[in-house]
């Protein structure tokens, strides 16, 4: 592993250790003080309250910078090792610190917010189709601190296939409180193997039927079979927008996981997802 990556990993580990020493240490002192004063309110409520305050202040002041740097370095290290100096696409460009434009993601309607962190921007051309890809993380803040609401990969590319005003196609297990918020499935395609896996919502059933033909369904089912990540996509105004959670992604950063050759095929397969999706719409 590169020295740059190891430095980022150690900094992230130190950040996490210090965070929990501070977030648990200060409330513990408050509890001990309350016990010494024989004041149950300080020992109980004061400990809980101080934990919430310290945890929130830490999240606000640190912005998880060390972890953000590590995430970018992890993806860079893993992808560079898997590619080994090669490229998968024409005009392939990877910027590990750049992300997807919030307005562009908002146009898709896939994610119910334009407030997110984005990195690992990848673009390229496959079979003459320009695609754009990036990881996005939506963090929700409340009085208890910051919570990761969604962590996924966003892919977009233009298509010349007919589409309804907006046709949403998503795995039946997609959480529609976060992805495609407010969308309700109203349409059955009529092919059991497809309807058992995907839901379809559209304002134009005739247009959706023209788009979702047997070839389309076969191709999409094949792509879903390649990954444990649940696919959600929307087709509108000549564009395809896709979102997949990173929970099952081999590129999801882990502090104590290092690259080995057994990961190579899985990483390359994830990098090939744009071409699989472009083939769905051929």
């Amino acid at each position: 592993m590169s020295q740059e990556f190891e430095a980022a990993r150690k900094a992230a580990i130190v950040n996490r250790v210090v965070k929990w020493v501070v977030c648990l240490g200060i409330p513990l002192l408050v509890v001990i003080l309350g016990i010494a004063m024989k004041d149950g309110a300080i020992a109980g409520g004061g400990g809980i309250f101080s934990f919430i305050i310290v945890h929130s202040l830490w999240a606000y002041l640190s912005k998880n910078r060390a972890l953000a740097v590590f995430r970018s370095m992890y993806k860079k290290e893993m992808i560079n090792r898997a590619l080994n100096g090669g490229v998968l696409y024409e005009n392939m460009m990877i910027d590990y610190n750049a992300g997807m434009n919030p307005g562009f993601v908002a146009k898709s309607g896939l994610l119910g917010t334009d407030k997110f962190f984005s990195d690992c921007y990848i673009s390229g051309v496959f079979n003459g189709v320009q695609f754009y890809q990036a990881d996005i993380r939506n963090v929700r803040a409340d009085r208890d601190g910051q919570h990761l609401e969604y962590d996924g990969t966003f892919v977009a590319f233009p298509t010349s296939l007919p589409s309804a005003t907006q046709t949403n196609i998503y795995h039946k297990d997609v959480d529609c409180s976060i992805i495609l918020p407010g969308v309700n499935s109203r349409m059955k395609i009529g092919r059991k193997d497809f309807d058992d896996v995907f839901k379809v919502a559209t304002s134009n059933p005739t247009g959706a039927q023209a788009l979702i033909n047997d070839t389309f369904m076969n191709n999409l089912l094949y792509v879903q079979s390649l990954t444990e990540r649940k696919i959600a996509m929307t087709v509108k105004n000549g564009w395809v927008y896709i979102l997949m959670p990173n929970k099952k992604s081999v590129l999801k950063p882990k502090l104590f996981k290092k690259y080995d050759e057994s990961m190579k095929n899985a990483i390359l397969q994830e990098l090939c997802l744009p071409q699989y999706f472009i083939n769905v719409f051929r």
Side-chain angles (χ1 to χ4, degrees), residues 252-265:
K252 184 175 176 63
K254 296 177 182 177
L255 284 172
F256 300 102
K257 188 170 186 177
K258 297 185 179 182
Y259 178 87
D260 65 70
E261 283 301 313
S262 67
M263 298 168 62
K264 182 175 181 177
N265 287 339

Side-chain angles (χ1 to χ4, degrees), residues 22-197:
V22 172
C23 289
L24 295 176
I26 293 177
L28 181 60
L29 289 176
V30 173
V31 171
I32 292 172
L33 178 62
I35 293 173
M37 296 173 63
K38 298 182 179 180
D39 189 325
I42 293 178
I48 295 172
F49 181 74
S50 61
F51 173 80
I52 293 172
I53 294 297
V54 172
H55 188 271
S56 299
L57 279 174
W58 181 276
Y60 176 78
L61 294 174
S62 74
K63 304 294 184 185
N64 291 320
R65 293 183 186 89
L67 289 174
V69 171
F70 170 73
R71 279 193 295 268
S72 294
M73 289 302 305
Y74 181 94
K75 294 167 188 173
K76 179 179 180 179
E77 184 77 16
M78 298 300 166
I79 290 173
N80 283 350
R81 293 286 294 273
L83 290 176
N84 194 27
V87 294
L88 292 175
Y89 303 104
E90 298 176 49
N91 303 326
M92 186 175 182
M93 185 195 78
I94 305 178
D95 189 331
Y96 296 94
N97 298 311
M100 196 66 71
N101 181 284
F104 187 64
V105 176
K107 282 197 306 183
S108 74
L110 280 169
L111 194 62
T113 179
D114 61 358
K115 308 298 183 187
F116 55 80
F117 172 81
S118 181
D119 66 358
C120 198
Y121 179 86
I122 302 174
S123 65
V125 177
F126 177 73
N127 279 354
V129 178
Q130 175 77 52
F131 72 86
Y132 309 91
Q133 174 180 323
D135 286 343
I136 58 176
R137 303 175 73 252
N138 174 32
V139 177
R140 175 175 55 85
D142 58 28
R143 65 181 184 178
D144 296 324
Q146 293 185 327
H147 308 277
L148 180 63
E149 193 166 61
Y150 188 79
D151 179 6
T153 299
F154 181 86
V155 181
F157 54 87
T159 180
S160 59
L161 285 185
S163 64
T165 304
Q166 179 171 347
T167 297
N168 305 299
I169 307 162
Y170 54 101
H171 193 281
K172 61 184 178 62
D173 294 332
V174 164
D175 181 357
C176 284
S177 66
I178 299 172
I179 307 305
L180 291 168
V183 169
N184 293 309
S185 175
R186 303 184 183 91
M187 179 178 178
K188 292 288 186 182
I189 297 301
R191 203 177 107 175
K192 188 176 186 305
D193 60 340
F194 187 84
D195 288 335
D196 284 348
V197 178

Side-chain angles (χ1 to χ4, degrees), residues 241-256:
Y241 305 97
I242 299 158
L243 200 55
M244 295 171 294
N246 282 338
K247 185 176 181 180
K248 300 290 186 179
S249 171
V250 69
L251 289 172
K252 184 175 176 63
K254 296 177 182 177
L255 284 172
F256 300 102

